[in-house]
Amino acid sequence: MASSSDHTAKIIDGKAIAHTIRSEIAEEVRGLSEKHGKVPGLAVVIVGSRKDSQTYVNTKRKACAEVGIKSFDVGLPEEVSEADLISKVHELNSNPDVHGILVQLPLPKHINEENILGAISIDKDVDGFHPLNIGKLAMKGREPLFLPCTPKGCLELLARSGVKIKGQRAVVVGRSNIVGLPVSLLLLKADATVTTVHSHTKDPEAIIREADIVIAACGQAHMIKGNWIKPGAAVIDVGTNAVSDPSKKSGYRLVGDVDFAEASKVAGFITPVPGGVGPMTVAMLLRNTVDGAKRVFGE
């Protein structure tokens, strides 16, 4: 067998794939505008002034502008009451120009996230977190109106890279409501054999070594080592962890949950961090918004 040092995984370029998808979406939005005289609308609700949340919201706003989706930005103070936030969501539910509603998480401690997500109309739940959408995702033969953006982006990266899912062994590292859980349900729907690795799993290394597909979403910098990866496996790294790096102006750099340098000598396919899953999440949000609008326009 050739030494692993001369092998390099095929890089799954999420940035380039997301760019292609955004061009496809822009064309669709133009078509909808010509045919119906209306464009899809996305409302983004942000509570408080967390720097990271504001960065995400700006990215989403720019992406909307780029493809022709109308943005509705709702900024509320940190101390807003849960009742006021819910009434704002209800107002957006009844606004016919809004086809998608996204409430930027995390919310301040005094607000019950479940109550807010449950208040979003299922027809406008572009984040795919409404319990009815997640419930349908979990059930055989049911289709949710929307799939959560990051999990949907992960599967789209695999599909557009020609990675077969059906019958393959997939290991999802992490079980969060936002990524780990829904991505494992999506893989199951795509006929993979799915194992979830979490903080109470015994010998995660042995389980990950069996995987044809690894989705890493545990939020632990470089937890997954190169020698944990089965040769030729497809590795999708959802993690974005800041590690200190004095050579950078910011004093830190972003790394994934997988040791990229080591894993790329073994894997068949791998996503970089940043530039892998991140751009896809935004592209899928745009896709969901357009799909929501198309249902309303009778397409």
PDB file of all heavy atoms in Angstrom, residues 39-45 57 59-61 63-65 68-74 92 97-103 124-127 149 282 284-290 293:
ATOM      1  N   VAL A  39     -41.508  39.303  -5.394  1.00  0.00           N
ATOM      2  CA  VAL A  39     -40.291  38.524  -5.100  1.00  0.00           C
ATOM      3  C   VAL A  39     -40.424  37.869  -3.724  1.00  0.00           C
ATOM      4  O   VAL A  39     -41.189  38.334  -2.880  1.00  0.00           O
ATOM      5  CB  VAL A  39     -39.005  39.395  -5.144  1.00  0.00           C
ATOM      6  CG1 VAL A  39     -38.756  39.935  -6.542  1.00  0.00           C
ATOM      7  CG2 VAL A  39     -39.041  40.506  -4.115  1.00  0.00           C
ATOM      8  N   PRO A  40     -39.673  36.801  -3.478  1.00  0.00           N
ATOM      9  CA  PRO A  40     -39.678  36.191  -2.140  1.00  0.00           C
ATOM     10  C   PRO A  40     -39.165  37.176  -1.091  1.00  0.00           C
ATOM     11  O   PRO A  40     -38.312  38.017  -1.389  1.00  0.00           O
ATOM     12  CB  PRO A  40     -38.717  35.006  -2.286  1.00  0.00           C
ATOM     13  CG  PRO A  40     -38.674  34.719  -3.757  1.00  0.00           C
ATOM     14  CD  PRO A  40     -38.838  36.046  -4.425  1.00  0.00           C
ATOM     15  N   GLY A  41     -39.690  37.058   0.134  1.00  0.00           N
ATOM     16  CA  GLY A  41     -39.268  37.940   1.228  1.00  0.00           C
ATOM     17  C   GLY A  41     -38.835  37.134   2.441  1.00  0.00           C
ATOM     18  O   GLY A  41     -39.485  36.155   2.801  1.00  0.00           O
ATOM     19  N   LEU A  42     -37.726  37.558   3.047  1.00  0.00           N
ATOM     20  CA  LEU A  42     -37.198  36.882   4.240  1.00  0.00           C
ATOM     21  C   LEU A  42     -37.081  37.868   5.395  1.00  0.00           C
ATOM     22  O   LEU A  42     -36.445  38.913   5.263  1.00  0.00           O
ATOM     23  CB  LEU A  42     -35.813  36.279   3.945  1.00  0.00           C
ATOM     24  CG  LEU A  42     -35.062  35.681   5.149  1.00  0.00           C
ATOM     25  CD1 LEU A  42     -35.770  34.437   5.687  1.00  0.00           C
ATOM     26  CD2 LEU A  42     -33.618  35.333   4.780  1.00  0.00           C
ATOM     27  N   ALA A  43     -37.704  37.528   6.522  1.00  0.00           N
ATOM     28  CA  ALA A  43     -37.589  38.356   7.724  1.00  0.00           C
ATOM     29  C   ALA A  43     -36.594  37.715   8.684  1.00  0.00           C
ATOM     30  O   ALA A  43     -36.696  36.525   8.993  1.00  0.00           O
ATOM     31  CB  ALA A  43     -38.943  38.490   8.404  1.00  0.00           C
ATOM     32  N   VAL A  44     -35.609  38.500   9.118  1.00  0.00           N
ATOM     33  CA  VAL A  44     -34.629  38.017  10.088  1.00  0.00           C
ATOM     34  C   VAL A  44     -34.799  38.822  11.374  1.00  0.00           C
ATOM     35  O   VAL A  44     -34.698  40.046  11.367  1.00  0.00           O
ATOM     36  CB  VAL A  44     -33.183  38.143   9.549  1.00  0.00           C
ATOM     37  CG1 VAL A  44     -32.188  37.685  10.599  1.00  0.00           C
ATOM     38  CG2 VAL A  44     -33.010  37.332   8.275  1.00  0.00           C
ATOM     39  N   VAL A  45     -35.100  38.109  12.454  1.00  0.00           N
ATOM     40  CA  VAL A  45     -35.329  38.752  13.745  1.00  0.00           C
ATOM     41  C   VAL A  45     -34.105  38.537  14.625  1.00  0.00           C
ATOM     42  O   VAL A  45     -33.672  37.402  14.835  1.00  0.00           O
ATOM     43  CB  VAL A  45     -36.571  38.147  14.444  1.00  0.00           C
ATOM     44  CG1 VAL A  45     -36.820  38.828  15.784  1.00  0.00           C
ATOM     45  CG2 VAL A  45     -37.801  38.260  13.546  1.00  0.00           C
ATOM     46  N   VAL A  57     -26.366  37.911  10.644  1.00  0.00           N
ATOM     47  CA  VAL A  57     -27.508  38.619  10.069  1.00  0.00           C
ATOM     48  C   VAL A  57     -27.064  39.475   8.878  1.00  0.00           C
ATOM     49  O   VAL A  57     -27.727  39.505   7.838  1.00  0.00           O
ATOM     50  CB  VAL A  57     -28.231  39.458  11.153  1.00  0.00           C
ATOM     51  CG1 VAL A  57     -29.249  40.394  10.525  1.00  0.00           C
ATOM     52  CG2 VAL A  57     -28.914  38.532  12.149  1.00  0.00           C
ATOM     53  N   THR A  59     -24.519  38.877   6.929  1.00  0.00           N
ATOM     54  CA  THR A  59     -24.211  37.936   5.842  1.00  0.00           C
ATOM     55  C   THR A  59     -25.503  37.541   5.114  1.00  0.00           C
ATOM     56  O   THR A  59     -25.551  37.497   3.884  1.00  0.00           O
ATOM     57  CB  THR A  59     -23.545  36.654   6.426  1.00  0.00           C
ATOM     58  OG1 THR A  59     -22.416  37.052   7.187  1.00  0.00           O
ATOM     59  CG2 THR A  59     -23.112  35.699   5.338  1.00  0.00           C
ATOM     60  N   LYS A  60     -26.546  37.258   5.900  1.00  0.00           N
ATOM     61  CA  LYS A  60     -27.830  36.850   5.317  1.00  0.00           C
ATOM     62  C   LYS A  60     -28.447  37.990   4.509  1.00  0.00           C
ATOM     63  O   LYS A  60     -28.991  37.775   3.427  1.00  0.00           O
ATOM     64  CB  LYS A  60     -28.789  36.383   6.425  1.00  0.00           C
ATOM     65  CG  LYS A  60     -28.383  35.022   6.991  1.00  0.00           C
ATOM     66  CD  LYS A  60     -29.009  34.715   8.338  1.00  0.00           C
ATOM     67  CE  LYS A  60     -28.443  33.404   8.893  1.00  0.00           C
ATOM     68  NZ  LYS A  60     -28.792  33.164  10.291  1.00  0.00           N
ATOM     69  N   ARG A  61     -28.343  39.201   5.047  1.00  0.00           N
ATOM     70  CA  ARG A  61     -28.906  40.370   4.352  1.00  0.00           C
ATOM     71  C   ARG A  61     -28.221  40.567   2.998  1.00  0.00           C
ATOM     72  O   ARG A  61     -28.872  40.787   1.968  1.00  0.00           O
ATOM     73  CB  ARG A  61     -28.736  41.614   5.227  1.00  0.00           C
ATOM     74  CG  ARG A  61     -29.445  42.842   4.675  1.00  0.00           C
ATOM     75  CD  ARG A  61     -29.152  44.099   5.479  1.00  0.00           C
ATOM     76  NE  ARG A  61     -29.616  43.979   6.851  1.00  0.00           N
ATOM     77  CZ  ARG A  61     -28.842  44.203   7.918  1.00  0.00           C
ATOM     78  NH1 ARG A  61     -27.578  44.532   7.786  1.00  0.00           N
ATOM     79  NH2 ARG A  61     -29.337  44.105   9.125  1.00  0.00           N
ATOM     80  N   ALA A  63     -26.611  38.323   1.249  1.00  0.00           N
ATOM     81  CA  ALA A  63     -26.936  37.201   0.359  1.00  0.00           C
ATOM     82  C   ALA A  63     -28.306  37.390  -0.278  1.00  0.00           C
ATOM     83  O   ALA A  63     -28.499  37.122  -1.475  1.00  0.00           O
ATOM     84  CB  ALA A  63     -26.890  35.887   1.142  1.00  0.00           C
ATOM     85  N   CYS A  64     -29.267  37.884   0.502  1.00  0.00           N
ATOM     86  CA  CYS A  64     -30.613  38.156  -0.024  1.00  0.00           C
ATOM     87  C   CYS A  64     -30.543  39.184  -1.152  1.00  0.00           C
ATOM     88  O   CYS A  64     -31.125  38.996  -2.229  1.00  0.00           O
ATOM     89  CB  CYS A  64     -31.534  38.692   1.071  1.00  0.00           C
ATOM     90  SG  CYS A  64     -32.175  37.419   2.156  1.00  0.00           S
ATOM     91  N   ALA A  65     -29.817  40.275  -0.899  1.00  0.00           N
ATOM     92  CA  ALA A  65     -29.702  41.355  -1.888  1.00  0.00           C
ATOM     93  C   ALA A  65     -29.103  40.823  -3.186  1.00  0.00           C
ATOM     94  O   ALA A  65     -29.547  41.167  -4.287  1.00  0.00           O
ATOM     95  CB  ALA A  65     -28.852  42.481  -1.326  1.00  0.00           C
ATOM     96  N   GLY A  68     -31.784  38.843  -5.068  1.00  0.00           N
ATOM     97  CA  GLY A  68     -33.046  39.536  -5.343  1.00  0.00           C
ATOM     98  C   GLY A  68     -34.170  39.236  -4.368  1.00  0.00           C
ATOM     99  O   GLY A  68     -35.331  39.549  -4.637  1.00  0.00           O
ATOM    100  N   ILE A  69     -33.845  38.615  -3.231  1.00  0.00           N
ATOM    101  CA  ILE A  69     -34.859  38.364  -2.186  1.00  0.00           C
ATOM    102  C   ILE A  69     -34.971  39.629  -1.331  1.00  0.00           C
ATOM    103  O   ILE A  69     -33.971  40.245  -0.986  1.00  0.00           O
ATOM    104  CB  ILE A  69     -34.446  37.145  -1.317  1.00  0.00           C
ATOM    105  CG1 ILE A  69     -34.560  35.852  -2.125  1.00  0.00           C
ATOM    106  CG2 ILE A  69     -35.308  37.060  -0.046  1.00  0.00           C
ATOM    107  CD1 ILE A  69     -34.015  34.607  -1.416  1.00  0.00           C
ATOM    108  N   LYS A  70     -36.229  40.005  -0.999  1.00  0.00           N
ATOM    109  CA  LYS A  70     -36.432  41.203  -0.178  1.00  0.00           C
ATOM    110  C   LYS A  70     -36.185  40.865   1.291  1.00  0.00           C
ATOM    111  O   LYS A  70     -36.703  39.874   1.798  1.00  0.00           O
ATOM    112  CB  LYS A  70     -37.862  41.698  -0.365  1.00  0.00           C
ATOM    113  CG  LYS A  70     -38.164  43.024   0.315  1.00  0.00           C
ATOM    114  CD  LYS A  70     -39.505  43.556  -0.180  1.00  0.00           C
ATOM    115  CE  LYS A  70     -40.103  44.653   0.664  1.00  0.00           C
ATOM    116  NZ  LYS A  70     -39.214  45.694   1.143  1.00  0.00           N
ATOM    117  N   SER A  71     -35.370  41.693   1.952  1.00  0.00           N
ATOM    118  CA  SER A  71     -35.046  41.478   3.374  1.00  0.00           C
ATOM    119  C   SER A  71     -35.920  42.320   4.279  1.00  0.00           C
ATOM    120  O   SER A  71     -36.122  43.505   4.011  1.00  0.00           O
ATOM    121  CB  SER A  71     -33.608  41.930   3.651  1.00  0.00           C
ATOM    122  OG  SER A  71     -32.736  40.872   3.488  1.00  0.00           O
ATOM    123  N   PHE A  72     -36.412  41.713   5.335  1.00  0.00           N
ATOM    124  CA  PHE A  72     -37.110  42.454   6.383  1.00  0.00           C
ATOM    125  C   PHE A  72     -36.288  42.251   7.654  1.00  0.00           C
ATOM    126  O   PHE A  72     -36.211  41.127   8.154  1.00  0.00           O
ATOM    127  CB  PHE A  72     -38.527  41.915   6.599  1.00  0.00           C
ATOM    128  CG  PHE A  72     -39.429  42.085   5.404  1.00  0.00           C
ATOM    129  CD1 PHE A  72     -39.367  41.186   4.335  1.00  0.00           C
ATOM    130  CD2 PHE A  72     -40.336  43.133   5.345  1.00  0.00           C
ATOM    131  CE1 PHE A  72     -40.197  41.337   3.231  1.00  0.00           C
ATOM    132  CE2 PHE A  72     -41.178  43.284   4.242  1.00  0.00           C
ATOM    133  CZ  PHE A  72     -41.102  42.393   3.179  1.00  0.00           C
ATOM    134  N   ASP A  73     -35.640  43.312   8.126  1.00  0.00           N
ATOM    135  CA  ASP A  73     -34.787  43.175   9.312  1.00  0.00           C
ATOM    136  C   ASP A  73     -35.512  43.692  10.539  1.00  0.00           C
ATOM    137  O   ASP A  73     -36.000  44.816  10.548  1.00  0.00           O
ATOM    138  CB  ASP A  73     -33.473  43.950   9.140  1.00  0.00           C
ATOM    139  CG  ASP A  73     -32.662  43.384   7.997  1.00  0.00           C
ATOM    140  OD1 ASP A  73     -32.631  42.144   7.863  1.00  0.00           O
ATOM    141  OD2 ASP A  73     -32.078  44.166   7.228  1.00  0.00           O
ATOM    142  N   VAL A  74     -35.593  42.852  11.555  1.00  0.00           N
ATOM    143  CA  VAL A  74     -36.249  43.237  12.793  1.00  0.00           C
ATOM    144  C   VAL A  74     -35.236  43.132  13.929  1.00  0.00           C
ATOM    145  O   VAL A  74     -34.820  42.033  14.301  1.00  0.00           O
ATOM    146  CB  VAL A  74     -37.467  42.320  13.081  1.00  0.00           C
ATOM    147  CG1 VAL A  74     -38.164  42.748  14.373  1.00  0.00           C
ATOM    148  CG2 VAL A  74     -38.437  42.330  11.908  1.00  0.00           C
ATOM    149  N   LEU A  92     -45.270  39.117  11.593  1.00  0.00           N
ATOM    150  CA  LEU A  92     -44.578  38.650  10.377  1.00  0.00           C
ATOM    151  C   LEU A  92     -45.325  37.470   9.746  1.00  0.00           C
ATOM    152  O   LEU A  92     -45.372  37.345   8.526  1.00  0.00           O
ATOM    153  CB  LEU A  92     -43.134  38.258  10.708  1.00  0.00           C
ATOM    154  CG  LEU A  92     -42.230  39.402  11.182  1.00  0.00           C
ATOM    155  CD1 LEU A  92     -40.925  38.871  11.763  1.00  0.00           C
ATOM    156  CD2 LEU A  92     -41.936  40.380  10.039  1.00  0.00           C
ATOM    157  N   ASP A  97     -46.009  39.688   2.366  1.00  0.00           N
ATOM    158  CA  ASP A  97     -44.750  39.866   1.616  1.00  0.00           C
ATOM    159  C   ASP A  97     -43.593  39.072   2.213  1.00  0.00           C
ATOM    160  O   ASP A  97     -42.512  38.993   1.635  1.00  0.00           O
ATOM    161  CB  ASP A  97     -44.366  41.350   1.563  1.00  0.00           C
ATOM    162  CG  ASP A  97     -45.417  42.168   0.817  1.00  0.00           C
ATOM    163  OD1 ASP A  97     -46.004  41.619  -0.145  1.00  0.00           O
ATOM    164  OD2 ASP A  97     -45.656  43.326   1.210  1.00  0.00           O
ATOM    165  N   VAL A  98     -43.825  38.506   3.407  1.00  0.00           N
ATOM    166  CA  VAL A  98     -42.791  37.705   4.081  1.00  0.00           C
ATOM    167  C   VAL A  98     -43.091  36.225   3.852  1.00  0.00           C
ATOM    168  O   VAL A  98     -44.159  35.740   4.209  1.00  0.00           O
ATOM    169  CB  VAL A  98     -42.767  38.013   5.607  1.00  0.00           C
ATOM    170  CG1 VAL A  98     -41.849  37.051   6.351  1.00  0.00           C
ATOM    171  CG2 VAL A  98     -42.334  39.457   5.851  1.00  0.00           C
ATOM    172  N   HIS A  99     -42.148  35.522   3.244  1.00  0.00           N
ATOM    173  CA  HIS A  99     -42.341  34.083   2.968  1.00  0.00           C
ATOM    174  C   HIS A  99     -41.485  33.197   3.857  1.00  0.00           C
ATOM    175  O   HIS A  99     -41.667  31.989   3.895  1.00  0.00           O
ATOM    176  CB  HIS A  99     -42.054  33.788   1.491  1.00  0.00           C
ATOM    177  CG  HIS A  99     -42.870  34.648   0.573  1.00  0.00           C
ATOM    178  ND1 HIS A  99     -42.352  35.774  -0.024  1.00  0.00           N
ATOM    179  CD2 HIS A  99     -44.171  34.569   0.213  1.00  0.00           C
ATOM    180  CE1 HIS A  99     -43.305  36.351  -0.751  1.00  0.00           C
ATOM    181  NE2 HIS A  99     -44.415  35.646  -0.617  1.00  0.00           N
ATOM    182  N   GLY A 100     -40.532  33.832   4.537  1.00  0.00           N
ATOM    183  CA  GLY A 100     -39.669  33.094   5.456  1.00  0.00           C
ATOM    184  C   GLY A 100     -39.374  33.932   6.683  1.00  0.00           C
ATOM    185  O   GLY A 100     -39.163  35.144   6.568  1.00  0.00           O
ATOM    186  N   ILE A 101     -39.391  33.286   7.864  1.00  0.00           N
ATOM    187  CA  ILE A 101     -39.069  33.990   9.109  1.00  0.00           C
ATOM    188  C   ILE A 101     -37.962  33.225   9.823  1.00  0.00           C
ATOM    189  O   ILE A 101     -38.079  32.008  10.028  1.00  0.00           O
ATOM    190  CB  ILE A 101     -40.300  34.074  10.052  1.00  0.00           C
ATOM    191  CG1 ILE A 101     -41.452  34.821   9.380  1.00  0.00           C
ATOM    192  CG2 ILE A 101     -39.919  34.733  11.387  1.00  0.00           C
ATOM    193  CD1 ILE A 101     -42.787  34.707  10.109  1.00  0.00           C
ATOM    194  N   LEU A 102     -36.925  33.951  10.172  1.00  0.00           N
ATOM    195  CA  LEU A 102     -35.811  33.335  10.884  1.00  0.00           C
ATOM    196  C   LEU A 102     -35.557  34.136  12.154  1.00  0.00           C
ATOM    197  O   LEU A 102     -35.399  35.353  12.092  1.00  0.00           O
ATOM    198  CB  LEU A 102     -34.590  33.371   9.973  1.00  0.00           C
ATOM    199  CG  LEU A 102     -33.285  32.822  10.495  1.00  0.00           C
ATOM    200  CD1 LEU A 102     -32.531  32.179   9.357  1.00  0.00           C
ATOM    201  CD2 LEU A 102     -32.425  33.904  11.110  1.00  0.00           C
ATOM    202  N   VAL A 103     -35.581  33.464  13.289  1.00  0.00           N
ATOM    203  CA  VAL A 103     -35.225  34.125  14.550  1.00  0.00           C
ATOM    204  C   VAL A 103     -33.801  33.691  14.894  1.00  0.00           C
ATOM    205  O   VAL A 103     -33.528  32.499  15.033  1.00  0.00           O
ATOM    206  CB  VAL A 103     -36.201  33.752  15.689  1.00  0.00           C
ATOM    207  CG1 VAL A 103     -35.748  34.372  17.002  1.00  0.00           C
ATOM    208  CG2 VAL A 103     -37.620  34.212  15.343  1.00  0.00           C
ATOM    209  N   LYS A 124     -43.765  29.314   7.023  1.00  0.00           N
ATOM    210  CA  LYS A 124     -42.695  30.320   6.885  1.00  0.00           C
ATOM    211  C   LYS A 124     -41.448  29.920   7.667  1.00  0.00           C
ATOM    212  O   LYS A 124     -40.515  30.706   7.805  1.00  0.00           O
ATOM    213  CB  LYS A 124     -43.200  31.696   7.370  1.00  0.00           C
ATOM    214  CG  LYS A 124     -44.397  32.208   6.564  1.00  0.00           C
ATOM    215  CD  LYS A 124     -44.759  33.640   6.917  1.00  0.00           C
ATOM    216  CE  LYS A 124     -45.941  34.105   6.077  1.00  0.00           C
ATOM    217  NZ  LYS A 124     -46.186  35.558   6.200  1.00  0.00           N
ATOM    218  N   ASP A 125     -41.438  28.681   8.158  1.00  0.00           N
ATOM    219  CA  ASP A 125     -40.369  28.204   9.042  1.00  0.00           C
ATOM    220  C   ASP A 125     -39.123  27.803   8.252  1.00  0.00           C
ATOM    221  O   ASP A 125     -38.753  26.632   8.187  1.00  0.00           O
ATOM    222  CB  ASP A 125     -40.904  27.013   9.858  1.00  0.00           C
ATOM    223  CG  ASP A 125     -39.840  26.323  10.679  1.00  0.00           C
ATOM    224  OD1 ASP A 125     -38.978  27.025  11.229  1.00  0.00           O
ATOM    225  OD2 ASP A 125     -39.854  25.075  10.761  1.00  0.00           O
ATOM    226  N   VAL A 126     -38.462  28.802   7.630  1.00  0.00           N
ATOM    227  CA  VAL A 126     -37.331  28.503   6.737  1.00  0.00           C
ATOM    228  C   VAL A 126     -36.120  27.912   7.455  1.00  0.00           C
ATOM    229  O   VAL A 126     -35.222  27.371   6.812  1.00  0.00           O
ATOM    230  CB  VAL A 126     -36.899  29.740   5.917  1.00  0.00           C
ATOM    231  CG1 VAL A 126     -37.870  29.992   4.781  1.00  0.00           C
ATOM    232  CG2 VAL A 126     -36.768  30.977   6.800  1.00  0.00           C
ATOM    233  N   ASP A 127     -36.082  28.009   8.782  1.00  0.00           N
ATOM    234  CA  ASP A 127     -35.003  27.368   9.533  1.00  0.00           C
ATOM    235  C   ASP A 127     -35.289  25.882   9.737  1.00  0.00           C
ATOM    236  O   ASP A 127     -34.401  25.117  10.106  1.00  0.00           O
ATOM    237  CB  ASP A 127     -34.848  28.046  10.906  1.00  0.00           C
ATOM    238  CG  ASP A 127     -33.515  28.767  11.037  1.00  0.00           C
ATOM    239  OD1 ASP A 127     -32.634  28.514  10.197  1.00  0.00           O
ATOM    240  OD2 ASP A 127     -33.355  29.557  11.979  1.00  0.00           O
ATOM    241  N   CYS A 149     -31.339  24.326   7.569  1.00  0.00           N
ATOM    242  CA  CYS A 149     -30.389  24.784   6.535  1.00  0.00           C
ATOM    243  C   CYS A 149     -29.023  24.101   6.567  1.00  0.00           C
ATOM    244  O   CYS A 149     -28.504  23.694   5.525  1.00  0.00           O
ATOM    245  CB  CYS A 149     -30.217  26.290   6.645  1.00  0.00           C
ATOM    246  SG  CYS A 149     -31.772  27.175   6.463  1.00  0.00           S
ATOM    247  N   VAL A 282     -26.159  29.403   4.355  1.00  0.00           N
ATOM    248  CA  VAL A 282     -26.826  30.616   3.862  1.00  0.00           C
ATOM    249  C   VAL A 282     -27.522  30.321   2.532  1.00  0.00           C
ATOM    250  O   VAL A 282     -28.667  30.741   2.309  1.00  0.00           O
ATOM    251  CB  VAL A 282     -25.828  31.790   3.729  1.00  0.00           C
ATOM    252  CG1 VAL A 282     -26.512  33.026   3.174  1.00  0.00           C
ATOM    253  CG2 VAL A 282     -25.210  32.109   5.085  1.00  0.00           C
ATOM    254  N   MET A 284     -28.791  27.529   1.525  1.00  0.00           N
ATOM    255  CA  MET A 284     -29.992  26.726   1.782  1.00  0.00           C
ATOM    256  C   MET A 284     -31.115  27.565   2.393  1.00  0.00           C
ATOM    257  O   MET A 284     -32.291  27.307   2.155  1.00  0.00           O
ATOM    258  CB  MET A 284     -29.672  25.550   2.711  1.00  0.00           C
ATOM    259  CG  MET A 284     -28.727  24.517   2.111  1.00  0.00           C
ATOM    260  SD  MET A 284     -29.388  23.721   0.630  1.00  0.00           S
ATOM    261  CE  MET A 284     -28.344  24.402  -0.622  1.00  0.00           C
ATOM    262  N   LEU A 285     -30.742  28.585   3.166  1.00  0.00           N
ATOM    263  CA  LEU A 285     -31.740  29.507   3.708  1.00  0.00           C
ATOM    264  C   LEU A 285     -32.428  30.253   2.557  1.00  0.00           C
ATOM    265  O   LEU A 285     -33.661  30.410   2.540  1.00  0.00           O
ATOM    266  CB  LEU A 285     -31.055  30.498   4.658  1.00  0.00           C
ATOM    267  CG  LEU A 285     -31.930  31.633   5.180  1.00  0.00           C
ATOM    268  CD1 LEU A 285     -33.047  31.104   6.074  1.00  0.00           C
ATOM    269  CD2 LEU A 285     -31.073  32.634   5.959  1.00  0.00           C
ATOM    270  N   LEU A 286     -31.649  30.676   1.578  1.00  0.00           N
ATOM    271  CA  LEU A 286     -32.208  31.358   0.404  1.00  0.00           C
ATOM    272  C   LEU A 286     -33.106  30.400  -0.378  1.00  0.00           C
ATOM    273  O   LEU A 286     -34.205  30.758  -0.811  1.00  0.00           O
ATOM    274  CB  LEU A 286     -31.080  31.879  -0.500  1.00  0.00           C
ATOM    275  CG  LEU A 286     -30.066  32.842   0.136  1.00  0.00           C
ATOM    276  CD1 LEU A 286     -28.955  33.168  -0.854  1.00  0.00           C
ATOM    277  CD2 LEU A 286     -30.728  34.120   0.627  1.00  0.00           C
ATOM    278  N   ARG A 287     -32.638  29.169  -0.536  1.00  0.00           N
ATOM    279  CA  ARG A 287     -33.399  28.130  -1.244  1.00  0.00           C
ATOM    280  C   ARG A 287     -34.755  27.896  -0.558  1.00  0.00           C
ATOM    281  O   ARG A 287     -35.808  27.855  -1.203  1.00  0.00           O
ATOM    282  CB  ARG A 287     -32.540  26.856  -1.223  1.00  0.00           C
ATOM    283  CG  ARG A 287     -33.107  25.551  -1.650  1.00  0.00           C
ATOM    284  CD  ARG A 287     -33.065  25.342  -3.147  1.00  0.00           C
ATOM    285  NE  ARG A 287     -34.245  25.928  -3.756  1.00  0.00           N
ATOM    286  CZ  ARG A 287     -34.320  26.378  -4.985  1.00  0.00           C
ATOM    287  NH1 ARG A 287     -33.269  26.329  -5.765  1.00  0.00           N
ATOM    288  NH2 ARG A 287     -35.419  26.882  -5.467  1.00  0.00           N
ATOM    289  N   ASN A 288     -34.736  27.754   0.773  1.00  0.00           N
ATOM    290  CA  ASN A 288     -35.973  27.534   1.528  1.00  0.00           C
ATOM    291  C   ASN A 288     -36.935  28.708   1.381  1.00  0.00           C
ATOM    292  O   ASN A 288     -38.144  28.519   1.249  1.00  0.00           O
ATOM    293  CB  ASN A 288     -35.659  27.307   3.015  1.00  0.00           C
ATOM    294  CG  ASN A 288     -35.213  25.875   3.312  1.00  0.00           C
ATOM    295  OD1 ASN A 288     -35.272  24.995   2.451  1.00  0.00           O
ATOM    296  ND2 ASN A 288     -34.779  25.638   4.539  1.00  0.00           N
ATOM    297  N   THR A 289     -36.392  29.933   1.388  1.00  0.00           N
ATOM    298  CA  THR A 289     -37.232  31.128   1.254  1.00  0.00           C
ATOM    299  C   THR A 289     -37.925  31.148  -0.103  1.00  0.00           C
ATOM    300  O   THR A 289     -39.125  31.433  -0.203  1.00  0.00           O
ATOM    301  CB  THR A 289     -36.386  32.413   1.455  1.00  0.00           C
ATOM    302  OG1 THR A 289     -35.734  32.334   2.727  1.00  0.00           O
ATOM    303  CG2 THR A 289     -37.229  33.661   1.400  1.00  0.00           C
ATOM    304  N   VAL A 290     -37.173  30.819  -1.144  1.00  0.00           N
ATOM    305  CA  VAL A 290     -37.749  30.780  -2.495  1.00  0.00           C
ATOM    306  C   VAL A 290     -38.805  29.672  -2.593  1.00  0.00           C
ATOM    307  O   VAL A 290     -39.882  29.872  -3.161  1.00  0.00           O
ATOM    308  CB  VAL A 290     -36.638  30.607  -3.562  1.00  0.00           C
ATOM    309  CG1 VAL A 290     -37.233  30.354  -4.940  1.00  0.00           C
ATOM    310  CG2 VAL A 290     -35.748  31.851  -3.596  1.00  0.00           C
ATOM    311  N   ALA A 293     -41.955  30.862  -0.976  1.00  0.00           N
ATOM    312  CA  ALA A 293     -42.640  31.841  -1.835  1.00  0.00           C
ATOM    313  C   ALA A 293     -43.357  31.141  -2.990  1.00  0.00           C
ATOM    314  O   ALA A 293     -44.485  31.476  -3.321  1.00  0.00           O
ATOM    315  CB  ALA A 293     -41.638  32.856  -2.363  1.00  0.00           C
TER     316      ALA A 293
END
